[in-house]
């Protein structure tokens, strides 16, 4: 059985330490997911923070610890390189890694801070002929894939309502260089999963250029009372050929974190979010004579685990084996970024 070697650049939260979160479905980090896959051998971890790197090495003594991409390639040449650094370092690190021509790059979301940077990554990926898998995790989750398949049973899709709640400022122009605002950090997940559903509804290829969500009408913009340049809440509305009403509501003034989608069809409904997935179909009503109502579809049984991280890594293996295309590509990541930039341009 052929094995692929892998290295993780960035051994912080998503790179490594979320693998110790007992409340999260595991594996919940790149290191944990790579080590769990029997087809992959993790050979190196890279971090420019000496304390972070030392801690990583103490827990993974058989994995080489490197302080830079240069040091990594002086010692080994991994098949897969994961870029799991902060958003503001995506461009520089990804360009550096691409120039070494690994077989595959797994890039954390969002692709970059903006479309201009994303275009540079795309050009480099083409120049060095390196495919990129973007970790928009819900594309790999069993519950969201079940929801996508179920859309064929709910008739014509009338509405998609997607909502994100957090306490992090939604948008701050002063954070453009760091990416430390929820519209980019969390909104990329919300936009990408809606695009995933629309791609499947329309039959469009996920690698098609330009997102299926265009020309937003942005309403309900709530600005921070103490700093009017900071946006705390908004709603972006769209109309598409496959769904006449699509709305993205995002709040950065909530005292909890939430992520949910409500998809309404002419004959059914899907409600899905963090920790739940509910599927409804049209049945003869037990409340009103001569009417139909929506009731839970008891035939749908979901597995206890969504497999979101493990399935992403398996997709990388299947792709390198030549058995399956990438389920989350550089282009789908760029498409999500394009939607976010359209929204920002309306603020």
């Amino acid at each position: 059985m052929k094995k692929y070697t892998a290295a993780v650049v960035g051994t912080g939260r998503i790179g490594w330490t979320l693998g110790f979160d007992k409340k999260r479905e595991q594996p919940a980090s790149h290191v944990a997911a790579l080590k769990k896959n029997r087809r992959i051998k993790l050979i190196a971890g890279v971090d420019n923070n000496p304390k972070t790197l030392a801690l990583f090495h103490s827990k993974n003594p058989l994995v080489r610890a490197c302080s830079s991409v240069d040091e990594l390639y002086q010692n080994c040449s991994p098949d897969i390189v994961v870029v799991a650094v902060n958003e503001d370092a995506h461009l520089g690190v990804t360009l550096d890694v691409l120039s070494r021509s690994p077989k595959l790059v797994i890039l954390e979301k969002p692709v970059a801070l903006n479309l201009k940077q994303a275009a540079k990554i795309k050009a480099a990926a083409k120049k060095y002929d390196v495919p990129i898998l973007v970790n928009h995790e819900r594309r790999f989750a069993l519950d969201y894939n079940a929801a996508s398949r179920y859309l064929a049973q709910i008739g014509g899709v009338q509405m998609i309502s997607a909502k994100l709640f957090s306490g992090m400022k939604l948008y701050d122009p002063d954070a453009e260089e760091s990416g430390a605002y929820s519209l980019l950090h969390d909104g990329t997940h919300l936009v990408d999963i809606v695009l995933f559903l629309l791609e499947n509804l329309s039959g469009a290829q996920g690698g098609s250029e330009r997102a299926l969500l265009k020309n937003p009408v942005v309403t309900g913009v709530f600005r921070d009372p103490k700093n009017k340049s900071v946006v705390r809440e908004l709603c972006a509305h769209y109309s598409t050929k496959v769904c006449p009403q699509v709305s993205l509501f995002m709040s950065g003034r909530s005292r909890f974190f939430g992520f949910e989608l409500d998809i309404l069809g002419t004959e059914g409904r899907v409600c899905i979010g963090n920790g739940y997935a509910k599927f409804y179909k049209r049945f003869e009503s037990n409340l009103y004579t001569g009417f139909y109502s929506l009731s839970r579809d008891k035939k749908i049984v979901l597995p206890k685990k969504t497999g979101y991280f493990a399935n992403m890594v398996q997709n990388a293996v299947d792709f390198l084996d030549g058995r399956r295309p990438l389920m989350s590509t550089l282009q789908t990541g760029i498409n999500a970024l394009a939607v976010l930039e359209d929204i920002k341009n309306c603020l």
Side-chain angles (χ1 to χ4, degrees):
M1 180 176 61
K2 181 179 180 181
K3 282 199 171 187
Y4 297 104
T5 57
V8 175
V9 183
T11 57
R13 279 171 53 80
I14 195 66
W16 178 48
T17 61
L18 288 182
F20 300 102
D21 188 337
K22 294 181 179 180
K23 290 186 177 181
R24 291 176 185 256
E25 177 189 318
Q26 294 293 338
S29 71
H30 288 283
V31 168
L34 291 168
K35 293 179 75 172
K36 186 178 178 64
N37 193 294
R38 61 189 185 127
R39 296 287 308 282
I40 293 177
K41 181 180 180 181
L42 181 66
I43 60 173
V46 182
D47 205 293
N48 61 6
N49 185 314
K51 290 184 179 180
T52 301
L53 188 62
L55 180 60
F56 170 80
H57 192 50
S58 70
K59 300 293 184 180
N60 300 275
L62 300 180
V63 178
R64 185 181 294 276
C66 304
S67 61
S68 67
V69 174
D70 275 340
E71 184 182 348
L72 169 68
Y73 276 92
Q74 287 169 8
N75 292 281
C76 51
S77 182
D79 299 314
I80 302 169
V81 179
V82 175
V83 177
V85 295
N86 292 338
E87 288 94 336
D88 57 353
H90 273 207
L91 178 62
V93 172
T94 305
L95 293 181
D96 192 0
V97 169
L98 289 172
S99 70
R100 319 292 178 136
S101 296
K103 291 181 180 178
L104 177 69
V105 167
I106 297 177
L107 177 59
E108 253 309 310
K109 62 78 193 170
V111 170
L113 290 176
N114 52 57
L115 285 175
K116 185 176 180 179
Q117 290 188 1
K120 292 180 180 179
I121 292 174
K122 183 177 180 179
K126 182 177 180 180
K127 176 181 177 180
Y128 297 108
D129 194 26
V130 179
I132 295 179
L133 187 164
V134 177
N135 187 30
H136 273 123
E137 61 192 39
R138 287 170 180 80
R139 287 182 180 252
F140 305 97
L142 296 179
D143 52 352
Y144 281 93
N145 276 271
S148 180
R149 292 191 298 272
Y150 197 77
L151 297 187
Q153 300 188 47
I154 67 171
V157 177
Q158 299 172 289
M159 177 191 73
I160 296 176
S161 175
K163 299 176 182 179
L164 168 68
F165 311 95
S166 83
M168 185 181 185
K169 55 191 174 185
L170 191 61
Y171 176 66
D172 182 353
D174 292 336
E176 284 280 7
E177 293 185 1
S178 67
Y181 56 95
S182 187
L183 182 64
L184 182 69
H185 188 73
D186 301 307
T188 183
H189 279 307
L190 194 73
V191 168
D192 181 73
I193 197 59
V194 171
L195 291 176
F196 173 70
L197 296 175
L198 292 174
E199 288 164 13
N200 292 345
L201 281 171
S202 66
Q205 295 297 315
S208 301
E209 290 193 15
R210 192 62 182 105
L212 294 169
L213 294 176
K214 304 177 182 178
N215 304 318
V217 175
V218 176
T219 63
V221 178
F222 181 90
R223 297 183 181 276
D224 193 306
K226 296 180 180 180
N227 184 350
K228 295 298 183 180
S229 66
V230 172
V231 176
R232 288 287 181 178
E233 186 175 289
L234 63 79
C235 191
H237 306 271
Y238 302 85
S239 183
T240 75
K241 291 182 179 179
V242 293
C243 180
Q245 297 186 63
V246 179
S247 64
L248 308 175
F249 174 81
M250 302 184 214
S251 170
R253 62 188 186 115
S254 300
R255 297 182 66 185
F256 61 92
F257 183 79
F259 188 105
E260 61 185 42
L261 274 73
D262 186 356
I263 305 110
L264 180 66
T266 55
E267 297 184 26
R269 184 179 187 182
V270 176
C271 301
I272 185 169
N274 289 350
Y276 70 91
K278 300 176 182 179
F279 301 77
Y280 300 88
K281 283 195 71 175
R282 170 183 176 267
F283 293 99
E284 187 173 346
S285 179
N286 60 2
L287 301 173
Y288 313 105
T289 302
F291 283 79
Y292 287 84
S293 299
L294 294 182
S295 298
R296 289 284 292 272
D297 189 340
K298 298 179 181 179
K299 295 180 180 179
I300 303 299
V301 179
L302 294 172
K304 292 182 179 180
K305 285 194 171 186
T306 70
Y308 69 100
F309 230 122
N311 291 342
M312 183 275 291
V313 169
Q314 187 59 47
N315 182 226
V317 171
D318 291 342
F319 172 78
L320 291 175
D321 283 347
R323 294 192 290 116
R324 196 175 185 186
L326 295 177
M327 294 173 60
S328 182
T329 65
L330 177 61
Q331 188 59 55
T332 60
I334 291 175
N335 288 348
L337 200 57
V339 172
L340 296 175
E341 289 215 354
D342 281 350
I343 293 173
K344 284 197 299 182
N345 289 336
C346 292
L347 297 177

